[in-house]
Amino acid sequence: MNQKHKATGLKESTFNSEVVSRFELYNSLFLTLPFYKIKDTGTLLPLFIKHCEEGVKARETSAQIIDSFFSKYTHNFTNKDVIDLLFRFIQYIERQVVLFDAVEDASFSKLNTMDDQSSLHSYLSKGVDNEALGNKVKHLIEDFSLRLVLTAHPTQFYPGSVLSIITDLTAALKSNNILRINELLQQLGKTPFFNKTSPSPVDEAFSLAWYLENVFYFAAAQIQEEVDHTLNEFQLESKKIIELGFWPGGDRDGNPNVHAQDTLQVAKMLRQILFRCYYRDFRNLKRRITFRGVEDTIALVQEVLYKNAFDTNTAFENISETLIGHLENIKTTLVEDHDGLFVGMVDDLIRKVDLFGCHFASLDIRQDSRVLRNVHAFCRQCRPIISMYPENYGDLSEVEKINLLTFKSAKVIYPETDDELIKDTLETISEIKAIQKSNGELAVHRFIISNCQQASDILQLMELFLWNGWEEENLNIDFVPLFETVNDLESADEIMRTLYSHPFYKRHLEKRGNKQDIMLGFSDSTKDGGYLMANWSIFNAKVALTAIANEYNIRLAFFDGRGGPPARGGGKTHRFYASMGKEIANKNIQLTIQGQTISSQYGSIDSAEFNMAQLINAGISSGIREKHNVLLDEVNKTLLDEMADDSYVSFLALRQHPQFMSYLLKFSPLSLLSKINISSRPVKRNSGERMKLEDLRAIAFVTSWGQLKQNVPGFYGVGTALKNQEIAGNWDKVQRTYHESGYFKTIIDNCMMSMSKSDFNITAHLANDKEFGDFWNILHDEFELSKTMLLKLSGQAYLMENYPVERSSIAMREKIILPLVLIQHYALSHLNDQEHTAQEAESYEKLAIRTVYGIVNAGRNSA
């Protein structure tokens, strides 16, 4: 047995003993706790789980499974009693998911080990005896950075109170503190899991800031400390490589509930939370530094930190440099007069202030290009702008529009308008300057234009800034286009060529260090073109955009809008970054982390450090090797072009099937997602109109398929594409591409992860459904074809054979929530039948909604 198989077997054995066995032990304790009115809920639940498993194997409907359970194990139950017990089951299962999360997180360090061979320290060590490599590493680290952007996308269902319990429960599990575990399980049983009302954007920001305060504040600083020590060891200057971004309160795209005052409030909140973190650290520091010579500076720093943390009447300004200066003075005194005692504590706080400044995380402003065009049109009707543009400006060609843009600063006289989006955009542009003044320029310096389709979308936005209090020489804003659909990705390079060659934009980029951020959206491209086409379109767009940037000597950074599941760009993301190749800019890794990805990959300091280090190592190793990406070789590129096209045709045919939306609406909770109180953001654009696929948000789209346990966006069309290559006699070429390309292999591996979270047996009874049987069989046939072809390509006997720990984790989670899936189908079937009272309909609706929480949480990256 080789070393890899030994390590894999050891990890699987560790998972079984540390996670599976411990979960079963503590779950048995949990099931005996007398929480609810029906005393035998905990006794009946294991029987219900077993009954569900047997019913699915027998291909029974959810109604048959649940009705037969109550017939067998209960007596004289009314319909109300049935619904009540199902609610109790849901409450137990939700908490079982939390328990499994905590047990798994407690074992994180035993299950995950870093690959030191691709670390910064490893490469610098090799560079000692290899001057060329050493110079390459030094040059790379000068430009390298990792930016993680926390978003408020509605895929995280744990409230702050539950997150705190998970943190404490994880700690208790690590030390096997039985009494503490028992107390926390009781607390968990009595703690609500959801909000009674939808959160406001500020509520979302406050909830997400929990991770900043309790995880990233420590994890980012510790990662940076390791980098600093490594660089110092090799006599290199320290370099800040960790950056944090934040979307709640700034992301307006399709969310009419975000206003300028929310942005101001969130910026203020982030600052105050940060200074409370500083103050907490400083109090510990003060308890140690009780020496002569630093009393005045200690008192001064404490007063400054206290006022900024707790005094709401304090006039905020960017004091980070001043604060670092004071701390450096304390450090100097300690070194010169007190043998350097406790200097490490001072260095730690200096490092944190250098990392987080006065802002903690940079607020990104995001708005749809269509809204911004409307704002520009509104301003063109105002004095003195009205004299600069013809009335038919909106009907002109792109070239004609750009030629008419003047980029003159102006004080615009705005009439009253009832359009809230116009008012918000204009107010936000003005308020950004105030935020930069109080929290520093990095507090908010990017404006993202989603659905960017033309260069004028960016240039017109720049004019809006010049008309609302900004001057060209002080325009401290980075304008970031977001390309999302397959068509937009194809034309992205030409849009950027137009911008790079435009005199005004060129001058602006020079002032910003010739650095351009470009955001690419995985979610909408998948919804638009399917899994394989989305990944291939983004790959090709990155290659083309990198070439254009190099041509104009632009430092390009890609900002990847990645969701949790592979269907939205998730999965093993660090493998993508490690396999880019020299044709794709990769020195600045930027990505969104949202919903379950935050809690599952960055929910604890251990996991956050590990995953940040993974991404850094991926970027370092990719930058050092700078291999040619073999997917750009003619044979490989032709294969991927053909497969992406075939996959796209297959996915498009499915989307255009007359039953596509009706199937999703009937059998998934799609129509109910808007009633779940987890987000301030609507599940679709044009919320007042009927449900249309083009308006449906990718999150809701992917989540609905995940609830159905069919995960169509994560695999559909892949099997057809591979089969077509086999029929064409190209199978040997496809296999060669798979083994040679880490990028293509990661696409395949993540596709298999999506499929591992699918279970068509649950809905197998639909195969004979008079209305939807044929459509279900289309989905099932493509699933089976994809499974067959993927296993043949990878040489595996079953899905995720090469990732036994992840496979076991998924299997355990799917087993826990199987009853939730069936309860959801049961409730939806009763709603669809319409043979019930209004009161019963309300109960079934609530029942279906409640199941969504546990199913999504268990998936960890399923929405």
Side-chain angles (χ1 to χ4, degrees):
M1 183 182 291
N2 62 37
Q3 288 299 114
K4 183 177 180 181
H5 284 174
K6 283 183 180 178
T8 300
L10 180 61
K11 285 182 68 174
E12 188 172 12
S13 175
T14 302
F15 181 85
N16 289 333
S17 61
E18 292 290 330
V19 179
V20 177
S21 297
R22 294 177 79 201
F23 169 73
E24 290 174 348
L25 171 65
Y26 291 119
N27 185 46
S28 63
L29 169 65
F30 179 66
L31 289 173
T32 62
L33 297 176
F35 292 133
Y36 305 111
K37 299 174 187 175
I38 302 175
K39 62 181 181 180
D40 55 357
T41 305
T43 305
L44 286 173
L45 181 56
L47 298 173
F48 184 59
I49 293 172
K50 182 69 174 175
H51 194 81
C52 289
E53 292 172 350
E54 292 172 350
V56 168
K57 286 180 183 177
R59 299 198 166 196
E60 295 175 350
T61 67
S62 58
Q64 289 172 329
I65 294 170
I66 291 175
D67 289 344
S68 63
F69 171 81
F70 281 98
S71 175
K72 182 175 181 179
Y73 292 104
T74 64
H75 301 284
N76 303 319
F77 261 42
T78 66
N79 190 51
K80 183 179 181 303
D81 293 331
V82 169
I83 293 174
D84 189 43
L85 183 57
L86 291 177
F87 267 115
R88 305 304 173 191
F89 283 161
I90 292 170
Q91 290 174 314
Y92 263 88
I93 294 169
E94 286 173 337
R95 288 153 178 80
Q96 284 180 315
V97 172
V98 170
L99 176 59
F100 191 83
D101 284 347
V103 172
E104 201 168 47
D105 290 345
S107 306
F108 185 87
S109 60
K110 295 180 181 179
L111 293 169
N112 296 276
T113 54
M114 187 63 64
D115 179 12
D116 292 330
Q117 297 304 307
S118 60
S119 68
L120 175 62
H121 190 280
S122 172
Y123 283 116
L124 283 170
S125 297
K126 295 173 185 175
V128 172
D129 299 319
N130 184 335
E131 185 177 354
L133 176 62
N135 290 332
K136 200 170 191 179
V137 177
K138 294 172 187 176
H139 180 70
L140 173 65
I141 203 65
E142 287 176 3
D143 295 325
F144 185 81
S145 66
L146 169 66
R147 185 186 187 109
L148 300 176
V149 181
L150 283 71
T151 79
H153 287 58
T155 56
Q156 171 53 260
F157 298 149
Y158 292 144
S161 56
V162 174
L163 290 172
S164 297
I165 295 173
I166 294 175
T167 300
D168 295 340
L169 184 57
T170 300
L173 286 162
K174 282 183 178 179
S175 59
N176 286 317
N177 188 335
I178 302 296
L179 292 177
R180 180 67 168 155
I181 291 168
N182 186 55
E183 288 177 347
L184 291 167
L185 288 176
Q186 291 188 62
Q187 181 187 359
L188 188 67
K190 295 177 178 293
T191 301
F193 265 48
F194 60 96
N195 303 311
K196 290 186 177 180
T197 58
S198 295
S200 69
V202 176
D203 293 333
E204 289 174 327
F206 187 80
S207 177
L208 202 55
W210 185 93
Y211 292 98
L212 290 177
E213 180 179 4
N214 294 284
V215 178
F216 286 98
Y217 180 75
F218 300 102
Q222 287 170 198
I223 288 285
Q224 186 64 51
E225 181 182 15
E226 291 176 15
V227 171
D228 290 345
H229 285 171
T230 297
L231 294 176
N232 291 338
E233 180 182 338
F234 293 92
Q235 290 80 50
L236 296 175
E237 187 177 345
S238 295
K239 165 72 169 59
K240 184 173 84 169
I241 66 172
I242 302 289
E243 301 170 2
L244 297 178
F246 203 72
W247 273 17
D251 180 15
R252 294 149 158 73
D253 179 20
N255 190 346
N257 300 311
V258 181
H259 304 291
Q261 288 304 308
D262 298 320
T263 305
L264 284 170
Q265 192 173 344
V266 170
K268 183 177 180 180
M269 178 202 71
L270 288 175
R271 180 194 173 95
Q272 287 193 303
I273 290 175
L274 174 62
F275 272 89
R276 287 170 190 172
C277 291
Y278 289 160
Y279 185 75
R280 176 183 59 200
D281 279 2
F282 189 78
R283 291 279 295 175
N284 293 330
L285 181 66
K286 184 184 175 186
R287 292 181 65 181
R288 301 280 77 83
I289 302 178
T290 52
F291 319 133
R292 299 285 186 188
V294 294
E295 303 96 323
D296 292 343
T297 310
I298 288 282
L300 175 62
V301 172
Q302 180 169 339
E303 181 182 7
V304 168
L305 292 178
Y306 182 86
K307 282 186 175 181
N308 281 271
F310 302 107
D311 187 352
T312 56
N313 295 319
T314 298
F316 292 150
E317 57 183 16
N318 183 17
I319 60 170
S320 55
E321 290 186 10
T322 303
L323 189 54
I324 288 175
H326 291 319
L327 293 171
E328 289 286 1
N329 289 338
I330 295 173
K331 177 180 175 180
T332 299
T333 303
L334 293 179
V335 171
E336 294 179 352
D337 301 337
H338 302 289
D339 303 318
L341 196 58
F342 301 123
V343 158
M345 295 180 72
V346 181
D347 278 337
D348 179 63
L349 188 52
I350 290 173
R351 184 178 297 108
K352 287 170 178 171
V353 177
D354 187 48
L355 272 178
F356 307 124
C358 292
H359 62 281
F360 215 158
S362 297
L363 268 173
D364 283 343
I365 308 298
R366 185 173 73 136
Q367 185 55 280
D368 191 280
S369 63
R370 290 162 290 193
V371 173
L372 298 175
R373 288 174 208 155
N374 289 338
V375 178
H376 194 266
F378 172 78
C379 293
R380 293 198 306 269
Q381 301 303 310
C382 304
R383 295 197 304 270
I385 307 301
I386 192 170
S387 62
M388 301 179 186
Y389 294 91
E391 289 187 14
N392 69 335
Y393 174 87
D395 298 323
L396 298 178
S397 69
E398 173 73 352
V399 173
E400 290 172 322
K401 286 179 181 177
I402 292 176
N403 288 337
L404 284 170
L405 298 175
T406 61
F407 303 101
K408 292 180 179 179
S409 295
K411 189 172 183 179
V412 182
I413 303 171
Y414 294 117
E416 288 294 321
T417 176
D418 294 329
D419 192 315
E420 293 296 326
L421 291 177
I422 290 176
K423 287 194 289 187
D424 171 68
T425 302
L426 297 176
E427 289 175 13
T428 300
I429 289 173
S430 298
E431 296 295 354
I432 288 174
K433 186 176 288 187
I435 296 174
Q436 287 191 346
K437 183 178 179 181
S438 64
N439 293 11
E441 182 182 317
L442 291 179
V444 52
H445 66 96
R446 301 202 305 186
F447 201 120
I448 300 168
I449 303 93
S450 57
N451 192 40
C452 187
Q453 297 178 329
Q454 49 204 20
S456 60
D457 286 334
I458 290 183
L459 297 174
Q460 288 177 174
L461 175 59
M462 298 178 80
E463 278 205 320
L464 291 178
F465 271 79
L466 297 177
W467 297 342
N468 289 275
W470 295 77
E471 301 291 336
E472 178 183 348
E473 59 270 20
N474 298 316
L475 189 54
N476 302 322
I477 300 294
D478 298 311
F479 297 92
V480 183
L482 167 51
F483 302 110
E484 301 175 84
T485 66
V486 172
N487 288 335
D488 290 347
L489 289 165
E490 285 181 359
S491 58
D493 58 328
E494 288 307 312
I495 290 174
M496 297 314 299
R497 181 186 294 278
T498 300
L499 289 170
Y500 294 152
S501 59
H502 190 279
F504 181 82
Y505 195 79
K506 185 177 180 181
R507 289 200 306 274
H508 177 73
L509 273 189
E510 288 172 352
K511 294 190 186 81
R512 306 298 291 168
N514 272 333
K515 184 172 181 292
Q516 174 69 58
D517 293 354
I518 297 177
M519 187 173 182
L520 302 174
F522 282 79
S523 297
D524 284 286
S525 54
T526 301
K527 182 169 78 80
D528 180 49
Y531 177 73
L532 189 56
M533 175 58 89
N535 278 279
W536 187 234
S537 295
I538 288 173
F539 175 86
N540 285 322
K542 284 189 172 184
V543 171
L545 288 166
T546 301
I548 294 289
N550 291 339
E551 182 181 335
Y552 286 88
N553 198 29
I554 302 297
R555 296 163 55 222
L556 178 60
F558 288 116
F559 177 24
D560 291 323
R562 295 181 179 273
R568 296 199 298 110
K572 296 183 177 297
T573 56
H574 66 280
R575 295 181 185 273
F576 279 112
Y577 292 113
S579 60
M580 289 295 180
K582 64 182 180 180
E583 292 84 4
I584 293 177
N586 201 29
K587 290 182 179 179
N588 304 102
I589 295 177
Q590 302 184 19
L591 67 156
T592 56
I593 53 174
Q594 52 189 259
Q596 299 158 305
T597 307
I598 300 174
S599 60
S600 64
Q601 296 185 15
Y602 301 89
S604 69
I605 296 173
D606 286 346
S607 61
E609 277 194 70
F610 177 84
N611 285 293
M612 282 192 280
Q614 286 276 75
L615 289 168
I616 291 170
N617 288 357
I620 295 292
S621 62
S622 176
I624 296 304
R625 296 190 185 104
E626 281 194 304
K627 290 182 178 179
H628 163 67
N629 197 306
V630 298
L631 290 183
L632 295 174
D633 293 342
E634 185 176 352
V635 172
N636 293 327
K637 189 176 188 311
T638 300
L639 279 175
L640 266 294
D641 282 340
E642 291 175 357
M643 284 194 287
D645 286 340
D646 287 349
S647 175
Y648 178 64
V649 169
S650 176
F651 186 76
L652 198 61
L654 181 71
R655 277 186 41 163
Q656 293 172 345
H657 193 287
Q659 290 183 317
F660 184 82
M661 281 301 294
S662 56
Y663 176 89
L664 199 57
L665 285 166
K666 182 171 183 178
F667 296 113
S668 84
L670 175 58
S671 61
L672 301 177
L673 293 182
S674 61
K675 299 182 180 182
I676 297 177
N677 296 320
I678 59 163
S679 174
S680 67
R681 190 180 185 188
V683 299
K684 67 185 183 70
R685 297 176 175 89
N686 300 322
S687 55
E689 300 181 7
R690 67 178 180 84
M691 187 76 75
K692 292 185 295 185
L693 180 60
E694 55 268 30
D695 291 334
L696 185 62
R697 290 201 169 279
I699 293 173
F701 178 71
V702 173
T703 298
S704 298
W705 287 110
Q707 294 284 306
L708 261 172
K709 290 297 159 192
Q710 293 174 359
N711 286 327
V712 163
F715 74 85
Y716 199 90
V718 175
T720 294
L722 290 170
K723 187 64 178 179
N724 287 352
Q725 289 300 314
E726 183 183 49
I727 293 171
N730 293 330
W731 191 248
D732 288 343
K733 295 178 182 177
V734 175
Q735 285 186 311
R736 192 177 305 117
T737 302
Y738 173 78
H739 290 295
E740 290 179 354
S741 170
Y743 195 91
F744 182 50
K745 188 175 186 299
T746 303
I747 290 174
I748 296 301
D749 286 350
N750 282 345
C751 183
M752 286 196 277
M753 182 191 293
S754 283
M755 297 181 72
S756 294
K757 296 182 180 183
S758 300
D759 187 354
F760 277 81
N761 290 325
I762 295 172
T763 51
H765 59 276
L766 291 176
N768 300 317
D769 187 88
K770 291 181 180 179
E771 183 179 1
F772 291 100
D774 290 342
F775 185 78
W776 184 90
N777 280 305
I778 290 173
L779 302 177
H780 182 248
D781 289 348
E782 181 63 23
F783 177 84
E784 290 298 325
L785 177 62
S786 296
K787 181 179 176 181
T788 298
M789 300 309 297
L790 289 173
L791 293 178
K792 183 175 182 179
L793 177 62
S794 64
Q796 298 178 45
Y798 42 85
L799 295 174
M800 296 188 71
E801 181 184 3
N802 293 339
Y803 303 99
V805 170
E806 289 91 337
R807 187 187 72 247
S808 297
S809 177
I810 290 171
M812 280 294 296
R813 291 172 179 278
E814 294 301 311
K815 179 178 180 179
I816 292 169
I817 61 156
L818 176 61
L820 293 185
V821 179
L822 292 172
I823 292 171
Q824 183 183 105
H825 291 187
Y826 176 79
L828 291 174
S829 66
H830 277 282
L831 287 172
N832 290 329
D833 288 343
Q834 297 182 343
E835 294 181 3
H836 42 64
T837 66
Q839 186 175 3
E840 287 175 333
E842 183 181 359
S843 296
Y844 286 126
E845 187 174 281
K846 288 181 179 179
L847 198 63
I849 289 172
R850 278 300 300 276
T851 61
V852 173
Y853 294 80
I855 295 171
V856 170
N857 283 334
R860 284 210 152 182
N861 72 343
S862 65

